[in-house]
Amino acid sequence: MAIGKNKRLSKGKKGLKKKIVDPFSRKEWYDIRAPAVFETRVVGKTLVNRSQGTRNAVDYLKGRVVEASLGDLNKDEEQAYRKFKLQVNEVVGRNCLTSFHSMSITTDKLRSLVKKWQSLIEATVDVKTTDGYVLRLFAIAFTKRRANQVKKTTYAQTAQIRDIRKKMYEIMTREASSSSMKELMQKFIPESIGREIEKACQSIYPLQNVYIRKCKVVKFPKIDTQKLLESHGSIEDTGSKVKSDFKEPEIQAEV
């Protein structure tokens, strides 16, 4: 039979299996580092494909967002209800340098605060920090029973709620607009803004459980690498070694 008549003769044997390569053999581990504000510096590790040809691993790492509990970041279980999201902005050696992305309170904490017979007051404000971040802050507060109160409920009147919300706007704008992002993160951790609101509203109506429940970045400033490095302090270019209890998966010939 002529070769030109049978199309399969030139293609080799049918059904040969392709060599299966473990995808993890092409990947590298990078440390994710939190800013110096937090006690725990290495938040975790992340995987990325090795740089090959025109594909640069750094380009795939930048922009990644990781979430960590404040209880883990500061080694304090009492602060575990607050979550921080950090965004990778720069890669130095095997270290991914992160900056603030957003902050929120866990759902179970919020649910535990909401109860009957009290007023819930919320306020939202957009504010710009001294280093160019445009933030949206969400505050939450609850009314409290006065000393020696006989009445069962602690509902605030509409005019009182309006005055309390006005105070919340003023304090959040003042505290955030006069601070840099690093200083504002230091205010979030001990909840100093919430205590300031509680103290200022005492004459209008007693408040309890006052929190900045959420903070998100509406607009990021242009990334300044020098400032980012300063916020992280000293960094080893080589990155930290993988601990002995952490093992990379073995390369498998077949899956």
Side-chain angles (χ1 to χ4, degrees):
M1 186 187 289
I3 295 171
K5 297 287 183 183
N6 193 339
K7 293 177 182 178
R8 289 236 41 99
L9 285 176
S10 59
K11 291 190 177 181
K13 290 182 181 179
K14 189 178 180 180
L16 278 177
K17 288 184 178 178
K18 289 183 180 178
K19 190 178 179 183
I20 299 167
V21 180
D22 183 32
F24 279 85
S25 64
R26 298 195 300 269
K27 296 184 185 291
E28 292 177 327
W29 292 93
Y30 282 77
D31 286 342
I32 299 169
R33 295 184 70 91
V37 178
F38 303 108
E39 194 177 328
T40 305
R41 297 304 307 282
V42 180
V43 179
K45 293 181 181 291
T46 187
L47 273 171
V48 69
N49 286 329
R50 279 195 199 92
S51 299
Q52 191 174 13
T54 56
R55 294 162 67 92
N56 193 353
V58 175
D59 297 334
Y60 291 92
L61 287 167
K62 284 182 180 179
R64 288 189 183 185
V65 177
V66 295
E67 186 178 79
S69 165
L70 187 58
D72 295 330
L73 290 169
N74 277 355
K75 298 178 181 176
D76 184 5
E77 285 300 315
E78 290 181 4
Q79 297 178 328
Y81 64 87
R82 197 176 289 282
K83 299 181 294 182
F84 277 87
K85 281 187 178 180
L86 304 169
Q87 186 174 24
V88 177
N89 284 334
E90 192 60 53
V91 180
V92 178
R94 285 295 182 91
N95 295 299
C96 299
L97 308 187
T98 59
S99 62
F100 179 84
H101 181 270
S102 64
M103 182 274 297
S104 61
I105 287 177
T106 56
T107 308
D108 60 304
K109 175 69 174 177
L110 281 174
R111 298 291 179 272
S112 69
L113 298 174
V114 179
K115 295 170 187 173
K116 289 195 291 185
W117 321 122
Q118 63 181 9
S119 295
L120 184 153
I121 305 157
E122 286 188 296
T124 308
V125 66
D126 285 8
V127 66
K128 191 173 184 179
T129 61
T130 54
D131 50 357
Y133 281 86
V134 179
L135 305 173
R136 186 166 291 152
L137 300 175
F138 301 80
I140 192 168
F142 300 87
T143 52
K144 186 173 72 171
R145 291 173 70 89
R146 289 188 174 91
N148 305 318
Q149 182 177 325
V150 179
K151 193 178 178 182
K152 184 181 179 181
T153 61
T154 57
Y155 296 130
Q157 294 176 353
T158 309
Q160 290 172 323
I161 290 172
R162 199 184 300 117
D163 291 341
I164 289 168
R165 197 174 280 121
K166 190 179 177 182
K167 285 279 184 189
M168 291 165 103
Y169 288 146
E170 288 173 7
I171 292 166
M172 284 194 291
T173 305
R174 186 185 71 225
E175 293 290 331
S177 59
S178 62
S179 309
S180 64
M181 193 66 246
K182 184 182 177 181
E183 291 166 348
L184 196 58
M185 284 167 75
Q186 289 171 328
K187 289 177 182 178
F188 287 151
I189 294 166
E191 200 54 67
S192 60
I193 299 173
R195 285 202 300 271
E196 191 75 28
I197 293 168
E198 193 176 329
K199 189 178 175 183
C201 296
Q202 197 68 32
S203 59
I204 303 166
Y205 203 103
L207 296 178
Q208 62 179 349
N209 299 326
V210 185
Y211 294 101
I212 302 295
R213 68 169 183 85
K214 189 177 180 182
C215 171
K216 66 179 183 180
V217 182
V218 178
K219 189 178 179 184
F220 287 92
K222 195 176 179 182
I223 298 164
D224 189 343
T225 310
Q226 192 60 40
K227 282 186 180 178
L228 186 67
L229 290 168
E230 285 173 12
S231 69
H232 280 264
S234 59
I235 298 167
E236 296 176 5
D237 288 343
T238 53
S240 59
K241 290 184 179 179
V242 177
K243 292 181 182 178
S244 57
D245 60 340
F246 181 87
K247 292 182 179 179
E248 289 193 26
E250 294 180 1
I251 299 168
Q252 299 175 355
E254 291 184 1
V255 179

